[in-house]
């Protein structure tokens, strides 16, 4: 898939709460095609402490309105600058990067997408993509409290939504892997993105229940397009770059102790 | 438009802008962004005799105006390069130079020998910053004797342009440059990364799996510039300068300090088209100052 380096325009930066914002980007030209699971490397200007680009998942793409969405969680100076962008600002992106989630073989497959925190970002695009192709999805989204549960209305457009919070302020109380849905139902395909301990717990559940499972990793990156070899993860094929061979990996390929 | 051609010994460059080993993959990673044949040369990834997995993750951390890496020469080995990568990269219409590394002198020699026969590889860059396993892990390039020794034996087997890449982690880099020149190096390139370290204060742990790593990017530029200037005065062979080049002005500074050509490393990660911008910027500079050839600015520093 051809990669581009483009200046996109901020159409709107919707503050979701004091930690998260939804950056809606557009372009004078038609946005290139991209796949769910892929990401962009964002150049952060005017932040003296931010030297390298920042990898951010494609949250959603609307080819009709020519909009590209990025969901931003503030964790440091780079993401803070993105959170503070205003309509009309420009943002330089290298994209689309990485591989994508793989489609289940059968249309009637039982599918579960599990996201934690800002890890829900690529799952919205993936959910919309699955729904468009006639699949039925379930979303299980978790956060520390209800402030960390984002875009619930958006997710509802594409499937059934279940939630957990650690403080019980929304949905079931606890971690995603403790949700009653996991005891009540079986799934053929599980896709997950979020903090590593969460993804490992999901992977362990998936391997116990014999579900096919893909995880989206968030290793630190210097380039994002295979030039530096900094972002590797250990796999059955040795060290592979998360930015080119991933970010999506089937758990059978990873050397996780689960 | 000024003449941009430069010769580094036997190596003919269409212009002095090249990309640094380990930061430009095999070039093809960048071909979506620009016509990579426009630059003077591409130094491909550090290549060793055998397959290497490199160091465990995490092996990169951002630092003020730079980054530390501890990739550890991950590559599939010279035979894989010859059989699977060379057939593609040999068609790129610019100089493809292989960066050669090893943990023993024998490894350097065998790798260099195999590269002799590749018609479209006009030069090798000997990376002597690797730990010398026999000598207890001290880098070959941090001591005149071992640096000279490795160059001497590789020179015996390698016929084309032999570039020796110097480590900055030494007290006097010109001594090392003189030592490798005496053993037959055709040119030297510098600087490789500076040894550094990063700590996570919350966890009280080192951030890199290897504890220390190599610093690159604009943070190292003043040191690199000083070393290029020192070496260019000491040796007679051409010098290739690098270390923190982000734009044309940086590149021109290295040439004024005595570099005949330059390499761009870390900057490729932030702007994959940076080398073309540097090339265009050098061209503008030459026109603006009325130079007919880029050779006129080499070592043209006025003191
Ligand atoms: C493929 C991929 C997709 C991503 N998608 C999104 C997304 O959609 N939305 C979003 O908000 N973020 C996403 N991230 C994470 C995002 O890239 C980082 O949060 C960001 O780089 C932090 O930059 P900063 O300057 O704000 O913080 P920094 O100052 O760089 O870091 C702040 C703290 O966070 C830690 N940190 C930073 N990056 C990482 C990481 N990758 N893994 C573990 N710890 C880290 C640092 O060690 C430091 O302690 C993604 C990362 C990857 C690799
Ligand atoms: C991720 C990374 C990998 C590198 N790998 C190699 C290598 O394999 N061999 C080598 O001689 N130098 C290697 N280098 C050093 C660069 O080629 C260059 O000497 C150094 O980074 C300084 O230039 P810069 O500041 O422009 O990056 C590497 C640098 C980086 C950042
Ligand atoms: S981040 Fe550079 S290779 Fe993956």
């Amino acid at each position: 898939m051809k990669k581009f380096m483009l200046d996109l325009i901020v159409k709107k930066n919707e503050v979701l709460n004091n930690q998260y914002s939804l950056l809606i980007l557009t372009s004078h030209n038609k946005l290139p095609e991209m796949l769910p699971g892929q990401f962009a490397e964002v150049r952060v200007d005017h932040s003296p402490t931010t030297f390298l680009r920042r990898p951010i998942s494609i949250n959603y793409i609307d080819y009709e309105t020519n909009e590209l969405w990025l969901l931003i969680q503030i964790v440091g100076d780079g993401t803070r600058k993105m959170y503070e962008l205003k309509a009309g600002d420009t943002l330089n992106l290298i994209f689309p990067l990485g591989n994508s989630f793989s489609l289940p073989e059968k249309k009637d497959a039982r599918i579960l997408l599990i996201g934690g925190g800002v890890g829900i970002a690529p799952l919205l695009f993936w959910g919309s993509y699955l729904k468009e192709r006639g699949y039925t999805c379930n979303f299980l989204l978790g956060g520390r409290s209800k402030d960390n549960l984002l875009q619930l209305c958006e997710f509802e457009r594409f499937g059934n939504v279940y939630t957990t919070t650690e403080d019980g302020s929304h949905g079931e109380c606890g971690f995603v892997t403790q949700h009653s849905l996991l005891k009540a139902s079986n799934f053929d395909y599980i896709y997950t993105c979020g903090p590593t301990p969460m993804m490992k717990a999901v992977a362990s559940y998936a391997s116990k229940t014999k579900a096919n499972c893909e995880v989206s990793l968030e290793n630190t990156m210097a380039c994002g397009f295979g030039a530096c070899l900094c972002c590797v993860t250990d796999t059955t094929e040795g060290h592979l770059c998360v930015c080119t061979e991933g970010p999506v990996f089937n758990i059978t390929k990873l050397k996780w102790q689960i | 438009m000024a003449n941009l051609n430069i010769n580094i010994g036997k190596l003919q460059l269409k212009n002095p802008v090249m990309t640094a080993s380990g930061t430009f993959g095999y070039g093809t990673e960048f071909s979506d962004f620009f016509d990579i044949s426009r630059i003077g040369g591409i130094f491909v990834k550090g290549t060793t005799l055998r397959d290497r997995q490199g160091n465990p993750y995490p092996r990169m951390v951002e630092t003020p105006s730079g980054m530390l890496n501890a990739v550890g020469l991950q590559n599939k080995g010279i035979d894989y390069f010859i059989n699977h990568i060379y057939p593609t990269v040999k068609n790129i219409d610019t100089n493809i130079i292989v960066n050669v590394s090893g943990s023993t002198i024998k490894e350097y020699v065998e790798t260099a020998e195999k590269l002799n026969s590749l018609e479209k590889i006009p030069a090798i860059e000997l990376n002597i910053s690797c730990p010398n396993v026999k000598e207890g892990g001290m880098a070959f390039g941090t001591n005149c004797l071992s640096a000279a020794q490795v160059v001497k034996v590789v020179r015996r087997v390698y016929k084309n342009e032999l570039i020796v890449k110097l480590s900055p982690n030494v007290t006097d880099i010109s001594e090392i440059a003189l030592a490798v020149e005496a053993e037959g190096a055709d040119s030297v390139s510098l600087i490789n990364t500076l040894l550094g370290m990063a700590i996570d204060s919350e966890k009280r742990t080192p951030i890199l799996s290897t504890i220390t790593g190599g610093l690159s990017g604009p943070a190292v530029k003043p040191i690199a510039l000083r070393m290029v200037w020192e070496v260019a005065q000491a040796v007679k062979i051409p010098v290739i300068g690098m270390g923190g080049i982000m734009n044309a002005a940086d590149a021109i500074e290295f040439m004024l300090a005595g570099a005949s050509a330059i390499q761009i490393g870390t900057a490729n990660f932030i702007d994959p088209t940076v080398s073309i911008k540097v090339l265009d910027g050098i061209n503008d500079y030459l026109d603006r100052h009325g130079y007919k050839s880029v050779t006129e600015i080499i070592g043209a520093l006025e003191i």
Side-chain angles (χ1 to χ4, degrees):
Chain A
M1 206 165 215
K2 188 173 156 71
K3 303 182 278 284
F4 298 85
M5 180 167 70
L6 297 174
D7 280 330
L8 298 187
I9 305 153
V10 178
K11 189 165 170 184
K12 201 167 150 196
N13 192 3
E14 220 175 284
V15 171
L16 303 178
N17 59 43
N18 62 6
Q19 253 193 81
Y20 295 92
S21 81
L22 178 66
L23 251 180
I24 301 181
L25 305 172
T26 189
S27 167
H28 295 305
N29 304 310
K30 202 166 157 297
L31 287 168
E33 285 217 15
M34 52 204 98
L35 294 169
Q38 292 191 299
F39 64 97
E41 278 280 3
V42 178
R43 197 183 72 210
V44 180
D45 295 331
H46 316 299
S47 168
T49 58
T50 312
F51 174 62
L52 298 167
R53 286 176 182 261
R54 293 294 187 262
I56 302 289
S57 307
I58 310 291
N59 176 230
Y60 187 67
I61 168 110
D62 189 330
Y63 298 110
E64 262 161 47
T65 55
N66 210 34
E67 282 179 5
L68 172 64
W69 295 12
L70 303 178
L71 187 67
I72 307 297
Q73 177 186 20
I74 302 179
V75 303
D77 291 346
T79 44
R80 178 172 301 281
K81 277 282 179 276
M82 292 184 228
Y83 177 92
E84 288 168 356
L85 288 166
K86 298 271 177 294
D89 289 345
T90 58
L91 193 63
N92 186 272
L93 265 67
I94 296 177
F95 71 112
L97 300 171
N99 67 353
S100 59
F101 294 109
S102 37
L103 280 173
E105 277 169 26
K106 296 203 183 86
K107 290 271 160 161
D108 62 353
R110 294 164 299 173
I111 304 170
L112 180 63
L113 279 59
I114 305 182
V118 80
I120 65 158
L123 301 183
L124 185 68
F125 183 15
W126 182 220
S128 75
Y129 191 91
L130 284 166
K131 173 154 187 177
E132 242 172 53
R133 281 155 187 77
Y135 294 89
T136 310
C137 301
N138 298 286
F139 298 100
L140 175 53
L141 309 173
R144 223 163 291 145
S145 74
K146 66 178 190 317
D147 282 348
N148 303 97
L149 290 175
L150 309 157
Q151 298 184 300
L152 293 182
C153 301
E154 301 295 341
F155 279 103
E156 274 160 8
R157 288 164 53 202
F158 308 120
N160 308 314
V161 177
Y162 305 87
T163 60
T164 61
T165 48
E166 286 168 44
D167 63 0
S169 54
H170 196 289
E172 290 187 14
C173 184
F175 297 121
V176 281
T177 40
Q178 295 166 331
H179 197 280
S180 56
L181 176 70
L182 299 186
K183 292 185 194 81
S185 318
N186 261 320
F187 296 93
D188 305 312
Y189 287 84
I190 298 178
Y191 303 92
T192 183
C193 183
T196 307
M198 184 207 89
M199 291 199 285
K200 285 192 174 166
V202 170
S204 154
Y205 168 81
S207 74
K208 277 194 201 94
T209 58
K210 308 243 174 338
N212 191 312
C213 180
E214 289 185 343
V215 300
S216 179
L217 302 186
E218 296 202 341
N219 285 16
T220 47
M221 296 179 176
C223 70
F225 46 86
C228 72
L229 306 189
C230 289
C231 62
V232 293
T233 190
D234 207 9
T235 73
T236 52
E237 295 166 26
H239 279 158
L240 292 181
C241 285
V242 170
C243 71
T244 49
E245 308 286 331
V248 180
F249 289 91
N250 196 296
I251 55 167
T252 55
K253 204 168 179 178
L254 296 176
K255 288 203 171 161
W256 280 2
Q257 306 295 328
I258 47 171
Chain B
M1 186 174 150
N3 182 356
L4 293 169
N5 297 346
I6 288 266
N7 289 354
I8 305 281
K10 286 166 276 181
L11 185 66
Q12 296 178 350
L13 307 178
K14 61 181 101 172
N15 62 64
V17 178
M18 302 185 280
T19 51
S21 174
T23 67
F24 206 69
Y26 292 107
T28 46
E29 290 82 350
F30 288 76
S31 47
D32 276 353
F33 302 113
F34 72 100
D35 175 5
I36 55 175
S37 70
R38 280 187 59 199
I39 55 179
I42 296 171
F43 286 71
V44 303
K45 267 179 216 164
T47 304
T48 50
L49 188 60
R50 274 177 275 281
D51 168 271
R52 279 178 64 110
Q53 283 296 309
N55 295 316
Y57 179 85
R59 52 195 199 182
M60 188 283 291
V61 57
E62 186 181 51
T63 61
S65 296
M67 59 178 274
L68 285 165
N69 90 80
V71 170
L73 297 169
Q74 179 173 336
N75 78 101
K76 293 191 169 155
I78 186 65
D79 291 334
Y80 186 91
F81 174 81
I82 293 170
N83 297 323
H84 300 278
I85 296 165
Y86 178 66
T88 312
V89 298
K90 73 172 203 258
N91 300 319
I92 303 172
D93 182 23
T94 186
N95 293 297
I96 305 292
I97 297 149
V98 178
N99 179 270
V100 172
S101 295
S103 320
T104 62
I105 289 195
K106 197 159 162 271
E107 281 175 29
Y108 277 104
V109 170
E110 285 180 37
T111 312
E113 252 177 334
K114 286 176 189 248
L115 285 161
N116 252 334
S117 57
L118 302 184
E119 191 196 341
K120 290 286 172 60
I121 304 292
I124 61 172
E125 181 180 51
L126 217 54
N127 175 9
I128 55 170
S129 306
C130 321
N132 178 350
V133 173
K134 282 249 167 71
E135 295 293 322
M138 250 259 283
F140 282 103
T142 52
N143 142 351
C144 287
L145 227 70
S146 57
Q149 208 186 358
V150 65
V151 173
K152 184 177 185 171
V153 288
V154 171
R155 179 73 289 176
R156 265 191 235 137
V157 300
Y158 188 72
K159 305 288 171 273
N160 300 319
E161 177 77 9
L162 177 61
I163 306 166
V164 178
K165 185 163 179 181
L166 305 179
S167 164
N169 304 308
V170 293
T171 314
D172 182 356
I173 197 165
S174 19
E175 267 185 11
I176 313 270
L178 285 166
V180 302
E181 179 182 40
E183 295 300 342
D186 294 314
S187 47
V188 287
S189 60
L190 63 152
I191 60 173
N192 210 317
T193 55
L194 274 154
L195 205 54
M197 179 171 176
I199 291 177
D200 183 331
S201 58
E202 292 299 320
K203 296 191 195 143
R204 291 177 295 278
T205 54
I207 298 179
L208 296 172
S209 68
T210 47
I211 305 177
T212 60
L215 183 65
S216 64
V220 310
K221 196 192 96 178
I223 301 171
L225 203 52
R226 183 264 295 175
M227 289 187 163
V228 164
W229 180 65
E230 285 177 352
V231 169
Q233 287 180 320
V235 298
K236 295 193 183 63
I237 53 180
V239 175
I240 302 171
M242 82 193 91
I245 296 177
M246 297 295 286
N247 53 45
D250 293 340
I252 291 160
E253 290 170 29
F254 275 87
M255 296 194 71
L256 292 173
S260 296
I262 57 98
Q263 292 179 30
I264 300 173
T266 305
N268 292 304
F269 305 153
I270 294 147
D271 180 354
T273 66
V274 64
S275 45
I276 284 302
K277 289 174 185 159
V278 168
L279 178 56
D280 292 344
I282 291 176
N283 219 341
D284 282 352
Y285 176 89
L286 297 174
D287 287 348
R288 203 152 40 80
H289 289 269
Y291 290 111
K292 298 267 179 312
S293 162
V294 69
T295 52
E296 292 172 55
I297 66 168
I298 300 169
L301 183 69
E302 294 171 18
I303 296 181

